[in-house]
Amino acid sequence: MAETEARGPWREAWSVFKRNYAALVGLGILALVLTTAIAGPWIYPVDPFDIVGAPKTPPGTDADAVLGTDYLGRDMLAGLVRGGRPTLMVGFFAAMIATVIGITMGALGGYYGGKVDALLGRITEFFQVLPALLFAMVLVMLFTPSLVTVTFAIGFVAWTSMARLTRAEFLRIKQLEYVRAARAIGSSNGRIIWGVILPNALPPIIVAATLATGTAILFEAGLSFLGLSDPNMMSWGMMIGSNRNYLREMWWAVTFPGVCIFLTVLAISLVGDGLNDAFNPRLRTR
Amino acid sequence: MMQTIVKSIVFAATLAIAAPATAQKAGGTLIWGTTQVARHFNPAVQSGYATAMVGAQVFASPLRFDDKWNPQPYLAESWSFQDDGKSLLLKLVPNATFHDGKPVTSEDVAFSIMAIKANHPFSSMLAAVERVDTPSPTVAIIRMSQPHPAIFLALSPALCPIMPKHIFGDGADLKTHARNTTPIGSGPYKLAEFKPGEHIILEKNPAFFIKDRPKFDRIIVRIFRDSNALAVAIERKEIQFTPFWADLALLDRLSKTPGIATTDKGGDAIGPLNWLAFNTKKKPLDDARVRQAISFAIDREFITKKLHNGRSRIATGPIAPGAPFYSGAVEHYKVDLEKANRLLDQAGLKKGAGGVRASLSVDYLPGSNEQQKNVAEYLKPQLKKIGIEVTVRNAPDFPTWAKRVGAHDFDMTMDAVFNWGDPVIGVHRTYLSSNIRPGIIWSNTQSYSNPKVDDLLAKAAVERDPAKRKAEYQEFQKIVVGDAPIAYINVLPYFTIYEKNLRSLPTTIWGAMAPIDEMYRE
């Protein structure tokens, strides 16, 4: 066991993570999705907005559009290849915004306690009781639907659970001896919050942030389904949203992007679970 | 919800009982479906078919029209021009009464016409009318400042409801009059009940001034949230008559349902045009060649055949085909990408990096995917072929779009504008330079200005000789289509979906915006 102790916490986590097959499968799918999102446009250089054939062509009937076409005659495959990038970008950046807001609110509240905590807690609760999807819809409608507004809207409604998690971690950690030690040697509040407590509170936050990415992708799909997406950016959610009126005539146009979203969110969940196990010392012996 | 279900059952039961009697011509209940949400039923202060189709059942008008644009007697049994066309004498039927039993007199006609002039959004419709004289209770003389041939169509059921002066003439603002939701008129049906968002019940007017009409004892208009829900109800035979159906994907499904028929006959006077409007004040769209190039790049065959399943017709100009003043002798802008590219070269729009000549945005009227959104989206790849990069701007709701376009804050926008019978009513407003009025939607938001066009329209508005008037409109159409402030795409397809045993459907030029007093069930 001496060997294990010599390894850093991150390598330690990885050794646990890689024993979790489900998490590895998730990581594999995620890697594939990311590769397609980044390299896809070079591998399959068809503009997803180009009309390549007759509208509503079923898959496997036209060599120019193997996965069929949508209601305008646009290539489904091109849409799927290009649609991953905006979808993942919205998911990633929205989760990042949520995490930054959440950590800030939770850290300040948890560390300072008292009136600061009470105030920040009330603000968090205020956002928590608003129906998230409705609130995001209002935000997107107020400003015109675009990739940026959708990202901000999702980030702005999804931070509350992150704030509560961070606050709980801070409340726990600030009692620990090394924090007292830091205070005893005269470290500033800022240094204690960001330099001492936060790094030790990170593991559960990382897990939550990973899962938040999946949630954000679903949110984007939900908003797109309601027609609130950037019409100039082919995302999976937008493909579902704009094709859903023709669901009974063309199953493929919503099924394929739906499967893509499903697999991506599943992969992120599996990876998140794997990380949770890996970072949680009590489960380490499993 | 439960209430609705119970009602449906009760209605169905009524029908089952009424069924043996329906072998005859008259009687029975007609269940009518719509997704249109009318706030009230007074067409005197509101345009649009949501208000007009019920309004035309409740109110009678001086004239009605057949399916060939000929005026027919209605409240006016005869009419004649006097005074070089500056006066129109209407001789009223003697036996018409309002639903409260009071007789319809020339006083009511005079009151209604002046009230419509003051309150209706179509300001050009009765602009020439100065006053209405009432020499006797059955004679009304409309006095005009100049000959106004549009007056005939302006007296249609959809545009000229004759309101009882003793109710609507109480001095309250007509636009917000309390009786607009519970109106009484002299039409074939009385409004019995209106539950917003649920249903409208119309009962037969037994004292209707035309003998043996209407045929149905009752019309129930059920209001549906969206066309999908209405389509299901039609398939389940809960709805027997649905006018102004526009969803083409669902239409294909419904037309295969046994016992149900569809037709696009009727309603020619509406003249609903689907078009792409240009902001002619914005560079590079201020150059007619750029606008023509874009028009040449649009494949209207693809739009009508592929995107609209072959169910819509191509529009060639500002007046809808089928109207008396329509002229096909205009540039048809058959798709020609080479010509489009040449025109752009001549206009000095050279291809820059990545083959892009210019970047333009396109807006669209929210609500109709097939007619508006899909066509706007189609422009993106299509105009890329001539080096124009298109950004689609969507609007979450109608007010957002109307505000943008009204404020002239757009490059190009898809739009749907109706002719409304006479060109003076629905066509002039889009092209007169005097109608460039920022803030007002469906005015000349293109900022199009051509003195020759202004002159032609001014002449045609007062021309009494139909042949001369037609020649003027012909020239107008040629010039406007050539100047291309608008790229005309197609005529909006409006279908009537009905049960096969219905007879004498409303196929006149106003479709279901006219009294449905002849239709019966066999």
Side-chain angles (χ1 to χ4, degrees):
Chain A
M1 279 291 119
E3 227 178 72
T4 320
E5 278 161 29
R7 288 193 300 211
W10 296 98
R11 288 194 61 186
E12 168 86 38
W14 169 241
S15 81
V16 179
F17 185 88
K18 72 183 179 189
R19 272 182 275 148
N20 183 340
Y21 291 117
L24 284 181
V25 169
L27 197 64
I29 299 174
L30 200 58
L32 190 71
V33 171
L34 281 170
T35 317
T36 316
I38 294 163
W42 284 282
I43 301 166
Y44 190 74
V46 176
D47 187 329
F49 286 101
D50 275 357
I51 291 170
V52 297
K56 305 178 186 176
T57 308
T61 54
D62 186 345
D64 283 339
V66 267
L67 290 184
T69 62
D70 70 358
Y71 59 100
L72 283 183
R74 300 181 293 202
D75 186 358
M76 287 299 299
L77 180 58
L80 294 179
V81 168
R82 299 281 181 112
R85 196 187 290 182
T87 305
L88 289 170
M89 264 165 55
V90 169
F92 180 75
F93 285 110
M96 215 157 82
I97 292 169
T99 309
V100 168
I101 303 177
I103 286 181
T104 313
M105 301 287 281
L108 296 179
Y111 182 77
Y112 288 109
K115 277 184 186 162
V116 177
D117 189 28
L119 178 71
L120 295 180
R122 292 301 89 74
I123 295 175
T124 309
E125 274 164 16
F126 173 76
F127 277 91
Q128 211 163 18
V129 295
L130 286 173
L133 188 62
L134 282 181
F135 187 37
M137 272 174 68
V138 171
L139 288 178
V140 175
M141 276 175 138
L142 269 180
F143 310 96
T144 42
S146 74
L147 213 55
V148 177
T149 49
V150 168
T151 308
F152 271 94
I154 297 172
F156 212 65
V157 300
W159 56 269
T160 49
S161 60
M162 209 77 77
R164 296 180 73 98
L165 181 72
T166 312
R167 178 174 169 275
E169 283 296 299
F170 267 67
L171 284 177
R172 184 177 64 82
I173 294 172
K174 79 173 178 187
Q175 313 289 344
L176 297 182
E177 278 163 14
Y178 58 83
V179 179
R180 290 188 194 170
R183 196 171 292 149
I185 60 169
S187 299
S188 67
N189 282 336
R191 191 174 157 70
I192 295 174
I193 292 173
W194 308 120
V196 180
I197 305 183
L198 186 61
N200 289 291
L202 267 186
I205 295 174
I206 289 175
V207 173
T210 312
L211 296 174
T213 310
T215 317
I217 290 175
L218 287 179
F219 249 85
E220 193 265 344
L223 287 173
S224 300
F225 186 80
L226 297 168
L228 297 170
S229 61
D230 188 341
N232 301 293
M233 194 64 82
M234 190 65 82
S235 74
W236 293 334
M238 176 207 159
M239 290 172 79
I240 296 178
S242 54
N243 280 298
R244 77 185 157 103
N245 292 321
Y246 312 96
L247 179 62
R248 283 173 67 145
E249 304 148 75
M250 29 192 264
W251 57 269
W252 59 90
V254 285
T255 309
F256 293 146
V259 167
C260 287
I261 291 178
F262 165 68
L263 285 178
T264 308
V265 175
L266 178 71
I268 290 172
S269 283
L270 291 175
V271 171
D273 275 351
L275 288 177
N276 192 25
D277 290 357
F279 285 136
N280 193 334
R282 269 164 300 195
L283 296 174
R284 214 161 266 180
T285 49
R286 245 189 4 191
Chain B
M1 185 64 209
M2 197 59 214
Q3 204 185 0
T4 320
I5 293 168
V6 170
K7 276 206 181 96
S8 307
I9 294 167
V10 173
F11 295 159
T14 328
L15 278 180
I17 296 160
T22 52
Q24 308 154 11
K25 274 190 157 192
T29 298
L30 177 71
I31 303 185
W32 181 335
T34 186
T35 54
Q36 288 294 316
V37 181
R39 285 182 298 115
H40 65 78
F41 309 108
N42 192 350
V45 295
Q46 169 96 45
S47 69
Y49 53 82
T51 298
M53 62 189 187
V54 176
Q57 313 313 319
V58 175
F59 294 105
S61 54
L63 301 176
R64 61 198 287 184
F65 286 79
D66 65 6
D67 57 355
K68 297 194 174 57
W69 298 77
N70 300 312
Q72 303 290 322
Y74 196 21
L75 274 175
E77 59 183 15
S78 64
W79 54 91
S80 58
F81 276 118
Q82 298 176 331
D83 192 15
D84 285 335
K86 280 159 71 174
S87 297
L88 178 65
L89 183 144
L90 301 174
K91 174 93 179 60
L92 303 180
V93 293
N95 60 334
T97 54
F98 288 111
H99 298 154
D100 60 2
K102 300 221 167 96
V104 180
T105 68
S106 56
E107 284 290 327
D108 299 303
V109 174
F111 162 73
S112 299
I113 288 176
M114 295 320 286
I116 293 164
K117 177 183 157 84
N119 291 290
H120 199 281
F122 297 164
S123 53
S124 60
M125 182 163 74
L126 297 172
V129 174
E130 286 180 327
R131 62 178 198 279
V132 180
D133 289 341
T134 52
S136 92
T138 55
V139 175
I141 305 173
I142 304 172
R143 305 282 186 193
M144 295 168 281
S145 57
Q146 56 184 22
H148 185 57
I151 190 72
F152 274 128
L153 281 152
L155 299 178
S156 298
L159 301 170
C160 193
I162 296 305
M163 300 170 280
K165 189 181 179 185
H166 59 271
I167 288 178
F168 287 96
D170 59 3
D173 183 5
L174 199 63
K175 285 197 177 86
T176 54
H177 201 283
R179 294 303 296 271
N180 285 351
T181 50
T182 53
I184 66 164
S186 52
Y189 288 95
K190 301 195 249 191
L191 185 78
E193 192 179 302
F194 171 40
K195 278 208 169 161
E198 275 190 42
H199 62 244
I200 303 153
I201 297 177
L202 299 166
E203 299 276 1
K204 178 179 179 166
N205 171 12
F208 188 49
F209 60 94
I210 303 178
K211 203 169 167 279
D212 293 334
R213 294 196 202 169
K215 306 294 184 192
F216 287 104
D217 291 334
R218 180 186 289 154
I219 293 178
I220 294 158
V221 184
R222 282 182 57 194
I223 302 164
F224 288 81
R225 227 166 273 279
D226 59 49
S227 45
N228 274 304
L230 178 50
V232 171
I234 294 171
E235 283 173 325
R236 292 171 53 179
K237 305 280 160 66
E238 288 171 16
I239 299 295
Q240 297 139 7
F241 179 72
T242 309
F244 303 114
W245 181 274
D247 189 316
L248 299 176
L250 286 172
L251 181 73
D252 277 350
R253 200 174 100 201
L254 288 170
S255 58
K256 291 181 194 115
T257 311
I260 285 177
T262 64
T263 177
D264 63 350
K265 282 211 185 72
D268 287 348
I270 304 167
L273 297 177
N274 200 40
W275 70 41
L276 177 72
F278 301 110
N279 187 341
T280 65
K281 279 279 171 284
K282 275 216 177 161
K283 278 193 183 314
L285 295 167
D286 55 343
D287 188 328
R289 287 170 299 192
V290 177
R291 307 194 295 263
Q292 289 158 354
I294 292 172
S295 202
F296 272 118
I298 298 170
D299 186 352
R300 292 166 181 81
E301 289 281 330
F302 179 86
I303 293 172
T304 54
K305 296 256 159 50
K306 302 287 184 184
L307 296 186
H308 297 162
N309 304 351
R311 299 262 196 191
S312 74
R313 287 173 298 161
I314 292 175
T316 56
I319 296 177
F325 296 114
Y326 168 76
S327 162
V330 295
E331 173 62 65
H332 279 231
Y333 294 103
K334 285 236 163 60
V335 60
D336 187 342
L337 296 178
E338 257 176 56
K339 190 165 184 180
N341 273 311
R342 220 166 37 240
L343 280 164
L344 291 174
D345 285 337
Q346 285 165 9
L349 280 185
K350 296 279 177 282
K351 284 195 177 177
V356 175
R357 296 176 194 269
S359 290
L360 296 172
S361 68
V362 62
D363 289 271
Y364 62 87
L365 186 56
S368 164
N369 287 339
E370 280 161 334
Q371 302 298 323
Q372 292 275 313
K373 172 172 163 278
N374 292 2
V375 178
E377 286 177 342
Y378 158 81
L379 292 173
K380 192 179 171 80
Q382 191 62 16
L383 296 189
K384 196 175 95 172
K385 293 180 186 165
I386 57 167
I388 292 176
E389 193 180 61
V390 174
T391 314
V392 180
R393 282 206 303 183
N394 54 9
D397 50 24
F398 174 78
T400 312
W401 173 85
K403 205 174 152 200
R404 269 184 207 159
V405 176
H408 301 188
D409 166 30
F410 70 101
D411 296 339
M412 310 188 282
T413 182
M414 286 299 300
D415 196 353
V417 179
F418 293 9
N419 280 177
W420 286 107
D422 198 281
V424 167
I425 303 172
V427 177
H428 287 209
R429 54 180 170 164
T430 315
Y431 309 95
L432 284 173
S433 62
S434 57
N435 204 29
I436 304 175
R437 294 189 291 168
I440 296 177
I441 193 64
W442 296 318
S443 60
N444 183 353
T445 44
Q446 294 67 241
S447 305
Y448 172 66
S449 164
N450 182 339
K452 182 93 177 91
V453 165
D454 287 342
D455 189 44
L456 275 170
L457 292 180
K459 270 192 206 154
V462 298
E463 180 55 61
R464 297 187 62 205
D465 179 353
K468 275 194 199 155
R469 198 167 177 228
K470 179 156 185 166
E472 279 155 2
Y473 278 126
Q474 221 156 19
E475 204 187 339
F476 152 76
Q477 288 171 76
K478 204 173 160 119
I479 296 174
V480 161
V481 174
D483 283 350
I486 284 163
Y488 304 94
I489 310 281
N490 65 287
V491 182
L492 293 179
Y494 281 131
F495 282 79
T496 304
I497 303 176
Y498 61 99
E499 277 194 353
K500 276 187 176 146
N501 58 359
L502 292 178
R503 297 287 175 271
S504 295
L505 280 114
T507 53
T508 69
I509 59 164
W510 289 109
M513 285 196 278
I516 310 233
D517 56 347
E518 292 171 277
M519 187 159 67
Y520 64 96
R521 182 182 289 114
E522 197 166 75

